[in-house]
Amino acid sequence: MKFFPLLWATLWRRKPRTIFTMLSIVVAFLLFGLLQAVNVAFSQGVEMSGADRLITHGKYSFTEILPYGHYQQIRSVPGVDKVSHATWFGGRYQSEANFFPIMPIDQDTYYDVYPEFVVADDQVAAFKRERTSCIVGRGLMEKFGWKIGDTIPIQATIWPKKGGSNAWEFQLVGVMDARDETMKGQENFMVFRWDYFDEARAFGQGTVGWYNVKVANPADAETVGRSIDKLFANSPKETLTETDKAFNAAFLKQFGDIQFLIASIIGASFFSLIIITGNTMMQSVRERVPELAVLKTIGFRDGGVLALVLAESALLCLIAAVIGVLLSTFASGFLKPFLPGLEVNANVWMLALGAALGLALLVGAIPSLRAMRLNIVNALSGH
Amino acid sequence: MASAVAQVTAVTALNLRTVPSRLGPSMVIVIGIAGVVGVLVALLAMAEGFRATLSSTGRADRVLVLRGGANDELSSVIYRSQVPTIEQAPGIRKDAAGKPIAAAEVFMLTSLPRRGATDPTNVVVRGTQPNVLTVRPEVHIVEGRMFNSGMREIMVGRGAAAEFEGLTVGNSVAVRGDGWKVVGIFESGGNVHESEIWTDTEAIMSAANRGAPTSVIAQLESESQLQPFKDFLTKDPSMTVDVLSEPKYYASRSKMLSNLINGLGYFVAVVMAIGALFGALNTMYAAVSTRSVEIATLRALGFGAAPVVVSIMIEAIVLALIGGVLGALISYVLFNGYTISTLNGQTFSQVAFDFRVTPSLLIQGVVWAAVIGLFGGLFPALRAARMPVAEALRAG
């Protein structure tokens, strides 16, 4: 610690250069923080999924519809605690660009199976009372400026009403919040009542999209899943039951090469950065050859000089990384409405600091070795 | 004027000749900017490839009939009773036997893992009619044969065959129930159909317990028949359908993802460009300060400030352009034609497409490089011009 003033002084030896170098690194870590936050947004769906929850959907595709008759059968499977169901409605509010998920659900069981979404008791009661009511996520309500009591018009894309009309209307009776602050944004969908939906739609009566199953004991999840699928094996509508976590992870994998893409971008920007920073460090050591020789003359050992140069490099990279990740935290705050779940979490910070240290070692390696091997007589006489 | 040009040329030549002796710092500009341009061009090429794959699908004189209000084929349903009305509508071209060139199709998804993976991905299964090669003449069978109607037989697009496990001729896969035999592989000019599995409408509908197709595709006599055809169907009270020309439909299905990738590309490039700019400033300030004596000498000899400024900026821009061209070339070599497959959120299905590094993207990359070089050189150049001559000479 006693060398800190010395480090600090050498770091700012040429102020403009240090500032420019630092800014390049800041920018790289801003990018790093944001792209990692996107990664978090992608993987958060996986993290949040309860280990005690299964999803039962069509064997060949998630988009197959299943008979409502499966409901009672699944409930009777040993180890099943609660069963609910949902259907993909599609639909658009005003335009396709306003997209948010809309699902007819079972009003009596949905929130038992999804306790991570919170709705006030009186609002749930109103939802159970009013057949054509709906509940929306807090974020959507704010985005579109809806109020409780509003009628929300939705244009059907998949499910027309009897008579062929696409115009559905729902009364807003409640608003959903995510129970956990880190899950904010996940609540941005709309639910309405399946019983009303089933009665009013033009076709597809007596079907649902998928079943959500809460098991009594998470350890039995896989066994329960297998017994459910066995029930419907060789029936016209076979099922596939998996944990929410496996389902979400598989869905995200469908985006395939996106994570690879993010890794490549970070790789490319860091590579450019190593060149920029490494060059600055070399320049700085080259200029300081006489000073380093003096340090050695007054008794600094080779290792000490090596440590000093590396520490300077680490200081530069760490300061810049902290500023960069802080900036990305602010920026992701602004971008959150466009990509819910975007978050610079502790994990991102750890990664960033680790990367900063790695970067410091990499760019400091050659200059510090050079400083260590410095021959006092040559260095001093060179000037 | 002539002397100013001569001065600029002389000083620039001098500067550029000394670049090799300052190779390290100069590489900062070249590599920093190569990184920016490489990433920008690669991401834009990805968006362009995706857009091109979808928008090259279909022909302007071919139409897709969907249920009114449906966004896409997956969410559409056409009742069986509506199909004859659509096929008999005016404006549809007839084949040699006098039958309309049209096909009722069913668009479904099934799950198949990518090659070498186990997690399932959404693959399109298109149930279509035996006349599909007449309806879509751009489709050619490259291996095996057509599926037979009523049989559990499939033919697969070239992209799907390359991307997904088990799609080789002679193999059987589970599409809706086991035992769908791959009998052929087709190509379709690199468009979106190459990511699909095709089979007979009736066979797949009975296997899936499905009562109605999703859409009707029809070849019109000419593009000008679109409006009359559309009017005929939309005026019929028993029909609630949307009629779209194929290019319009497929272009609309690529909008979201290609906009997203484009946005990401520009955002990342702007951020990286700022980083590269600081690197360039560093290098050019260093270049100016190590050459302060030379610059002061030139000024003392009677060279004006303008030639000094211009020459330094030229140096920065030349280095930047080298970086830009390098980055664009790297991205061309690495990514042009590189195939990836991702989920198109607008159709909920996998689409395989190639990155397309087009000349206009390359030019765009080089323009970005020049702009970064311009700003990276401007401030150091101004400082060089403002340097007091006497002091600079004394300091040396």
Side-chain angles (χ1 to χ4, degrees):
Chain A
M1 254 304 104
K2 66 177 171 183
F3 293 117
F4 190 77
L6 176 66
L7 269 181
W8 193 251
T10 51
L11 185 61
W12 298 104
R13 198 171 175 278
R14 271 184 189 262
K15 235 182 215 155
R17 185 171 62 201
T18 307
I19 290 173
F20 287 141
T21 310
M22 209 172 250
L23 286 174
S24 317
I25 310 177
V26 165
V27 162
F29 276 93
L30 166 63
L31 207 56
F32 181 94
L34 278 177
L35 293 177
Q36 288 297 336
V38 172
N39 252 344
V40 170
F42 265 96
S43 56
Q44 203 162 47
V46 179
E47 297 304 320
M48 67 167 255
S49 2
D52 60 347
R53 211 157 48 208
L54 299 170
I55 178 164
T56 298
H57 57 78
K59 181 176 176 187
Y60 299 102
S61 169
F62 173 66
T63 55
E64 283 178 88
I65 46 178
L66 300 175
Y68 181 65
H70 284 15
Y71 186 59
Q72 289 303 336
Q73 286 178 272
I74 295 174
R75 269 173 41 148
S76 64
V77 171
V80 169
D81 180 19
K82 282 171 184 139
V83 184
S84 191
H85 61 78
T87 306
W88 187 256
F89 184 73
R92 52 180 175 244
Y93 174 66
Q94 293 169 344
S95 83
E96 199 185 347
N98 283 340
F99 172 83
F100 51 85
I102 302 173
M103 292 176 291
I105 52 144
D106 175 42
Q107 69 275 10
D108 291 320
T109 53
Y110 190 77
Y111 288 105
D112 294 338
V113 176
Y114 280 96
E116 60 262 52
F117 300 114
V118 194
V119 184
D121 289 343
D122 59 320
Q123 295 182 340
V124 174
F127 187 50
K128 289 180 181 172
R129 213 165 43 237
E130 309 293 335
R131 279 177 74 76
T132 59
S133 60
C134 72
I135 295 178
V136 301
R138 171 89 51 199
L140 288 180
M141 184 155 148
E142 284 163 5
K143 182 175 173 191
F144 297 112
W146 294 324
K147 293 181 302 296
I148 301 287
D150 280 3
T151 296
I152 302 175
I154 299 291
Q155 280 291 314
T157 53
I158 307 176
W159 303 106
K161 289 168 102 167
K162 283 189 179 124
S165 161
N166 285 326
W168 292 74
E169 284 184 343
F170 305 104
Q171 279 72 49
L172 183 60
V173 296
V175 58
M176 257 182 292
D177 280 295
R179 188 178 293 278
D180 187 346
E181 184 59 25
T182 61
M183 275 176 47
K184 204 165 156 41
Q186 310 262 344
E187 82 284 3
N188 287 336
F189 56 95
M190 172 192 268
V191 295
F192 69 99
R193 286 174 52 162
W194 179 83
D195 53 357
Y196 166 60
F197 169 66
D198 201 45
E199 174 196 287
R201 62 176 153 176
F203 47 79
Q205 268 76 14
T207 65
V208 303
W210 59 89
Y211 291 97
N212 301 102
V213 180
K214 192 168 174 293
V215 293
N217 180 358
D220 298 337
E222 291 210 4
T223 329
V224 173
R226 272 197 299 274
S227 352
I228 294 174
D229 292 342
K230 209 181 277 170
L231 268 183
F232 308 113
N234 300 317
S235 81
K237 280 292 180 188
E238 294 186 77
T239 60
L240 178 66
T241 305
E242 45 193 342
T243 62
D244 264 19
K245 196 170 180 130
F247 176 76
N248 285 337
F251 184 74
L252 287 175
K253 280 215 182 109
Q254 295 228 25
F255 290 95
D257 310 296
I258 293 264
Q259 295 209 339
F260 164 75
L261 200 71
I262 290 177
S264 317
I265 294 170
I266 293 179
S269 63
F270 266 71
F271 178 71
S272 318
L273 194 74
I274 288 168
I275 304 285
I276 293 174
T277 322
N279 175 67
T280 316
M281 289 303 292
M282 300 254 239
Q283 250 179 18
S284 151
V285 169
R286 206 177 302 133
E287 281 172 16
R288 279 205 322 258
V289 162
E291 294 167 27
L292 291 170
V294 170
L295 284 181
K296 283 192 167 182
T297 315
I298 60 174
F300 273 79
R301 293 184 187 283
D302 286 354
V305 175
L306 175 97
L308 215 53
V309 176
L310 275 183
E312 184 187 334
S313 154
L315 194 61
L316 177 74
C317 293
L318 282 176
I319 294 176
V322 169
I323 299 174
V325 179
L326 274 180
L327 284 177
S328 72
T329 311
F330 288 125
S332 60
F334 283 112
L335 293 174
K336 219 168 181 168
F338 306 103
L339 185 60
L342 202 64
E343 197 200 351
V344 180
N345 59 18
N347 228 340
V348 176
W349 272 101
M350 298 297 288
L351 274 177
L353 295 182
L357 280 178
L359 183 69
L361 278 180
L362 216 61
V363 301
I366 298 172
S368 63
L369 283 175
R370 202 170 149 162
M372 184 180 85
R373 295 203 187 109
L374 212 63
N375 180 307
I376 300 179
V377 179
N378 288 350
L380 285 176
S381 65
H383 209 64
Chain B
M1 190 59 212
S3 81
V5 173
Q7 284 186 356
V8 169
T9 321
V11 185
T12 308
L14 178 75
N15 283 345
L16 292 180
R17 264 201 302 274
T18 61
V19 165
S21 67
R22 294 175 284 115
L23 205 57
S26 305
M27 288 308 279
V28 167
I29 298 189
V30 173
I31 292 178
I33 289 175
V36 178
V37 172
V39 168
L40 176 73
V41 172
L43 283 171
L44 296 187
M46 181 177 167
E48 172 60 23
F50 179 69
R51 196 198 57 73
T53 297
L54 267 84
S55 66
S56 71
T57 305
R59 293 163 41 155
D61 58 354
R62 218 159 47 205
V63 291
L64 191 64
V65 183
L66 298 174
R67 192 184 68 74
N71 278 339
D72 48 52
E73 291 175 276
L74 186 60
S75 51
S76 174
V77 173
I78 298 283
Y79 298 125
R80 271 182 196 273
S81 60
Q82 297 174 321
V83 173
T85 317
I86 297 169
E87 290 184 339
Q88 298 307 321
I92 299 184
R93 192 182 290 168
K94 306 282 194 295
D95 65 12
K99 279 174 39 188
I101 303 182
E105 298 196 320
V106 53
F107 181 100
M108 284 194 286
L109 297 174
T110 193
S111 300
L112 287 174
R114 286 205 175 88
R115 271 183 197 276
T118 50
D119 288 292
T121 45
N122 293 353
V123 184
V124 172
V125 179
R126 184 181 292 280
T128 186
Q129 309 288 332
N131 68 345
V132 64
L133 297 184
T134 320
V135 180
R136 291 195 183 87
E138 69 271 26
V139 173
H140 303 284
I141 293 174
V142 290
E143 194 187 333
R145 58 171 173 85
M146 230 345 240
F147 56 82
N148 285 324
S149 40
M151 307 275 285
R152 289 198 164 199
E153 290 182 345
I154 56 177
M155 65 176 186
V156 300
R158 208 168 43 178
E163 196 77 29
F164 304 110
E165 195 72 48
L167 295 185
T168 42
V169 173
N171 221 341
S172 279
V173 290
V175 175
R176 282 289 185 280
D178 289 331
W180 292 78
K181 194 172 174 209
V182 184
V183 296
I185 293 176
F186 65 87
E187 58 112 25
S188 180
N191 69 21
V192 73
H193 295 312
E194 289 192 359
S195 299
E196 299 178 349
I197 293 175
W198 285 8
T199 185
D200 180 58
T201 310
E202 297 305 325
I204 191 72
M205 277 174 45
S206 83
N209 278 324
R210 196 186 158 115
T214 51
S215 52
V216 173
I217 179 177
Q219 171 68 56
L220 298 180
E221 276 158 11
S222 74
E223 213 180 317
S224 61
Q225 293 297 313
L226 176 63
Q227 202 54 44
F229 177 78
K230 196 172 180 168
D231 291 344
F232 176 83
L233 289 180
T234 44
K235 276 182 193 136
D236 185 333
S238 70
M239 311 286 270
T240 36
V241 295
D242 277 344
V243 177
L244 292 152
S245 79
E246 278 190 297
K248 201 173 157 198
Y249 171 74
Y250 284 104
S252 77
R253 296 303 92 193
S254 71
K255 222 182 248 167
M256 254 187 228
L257 189 62
S258 62
N259 283 352
L260 187 75
I261 302 169
N262 261 331
L264 179 71
Y266 283 115
F267 172 77
V268 170
V270 165
V271 175
M272 282 183 73
I274 295 171
L277 178 64
F278 292 126
L281 282 171
N282 239 345
T283 301
M284 292 316 291
Y285 273 125
V288 168
S289 77
T290 55
R291 252 177 300 159
S292 55
V293 179
E294 288 91 331
I295 292 168
T297 312
L298 286 174
R299 297 293 307 281
L301 288 174
F303 278 75
V308 170
V309 170
V310 173
S311 69
I312 289 172
M313 289 189 55
I314 289 178
E315 178 183 338
I317 291 173
V318 166
L319 289 173
L321 284 178
I322 295 174
V325 170
L326 191 68
L329 281 181
I330 289 176
S331 146
Y332 181 83
V333 170
L334 286 185
F335 289 112
N336 196 36
Y338 180 76
T339 307
I340 69 167
S341 163
T342 193
L343 186 74
N344 179 5
Q346 280 181 291
T347 57
F348 213 57
S349 55
Q350 290 286 323
V351 178
F353 60 96
D354 295 343
F355 280 56
R356 282 166 63 110
V357 182
T358 59
S360 79
L361 292 184
L362 292 175
I363 292 169
Q364 196 181 347
V366 173
V367 169
W368 273 62
V371 171
I372 300 171
L374 184 74
F375 285 103
L378 183 63
F379 302 102
L382 290 177
R383 176 200 270 187
R386 289 208 198 100
M387 214 152 38
V389 175
E391 265 173 47
L393 283 175
R394 217 176 294 129

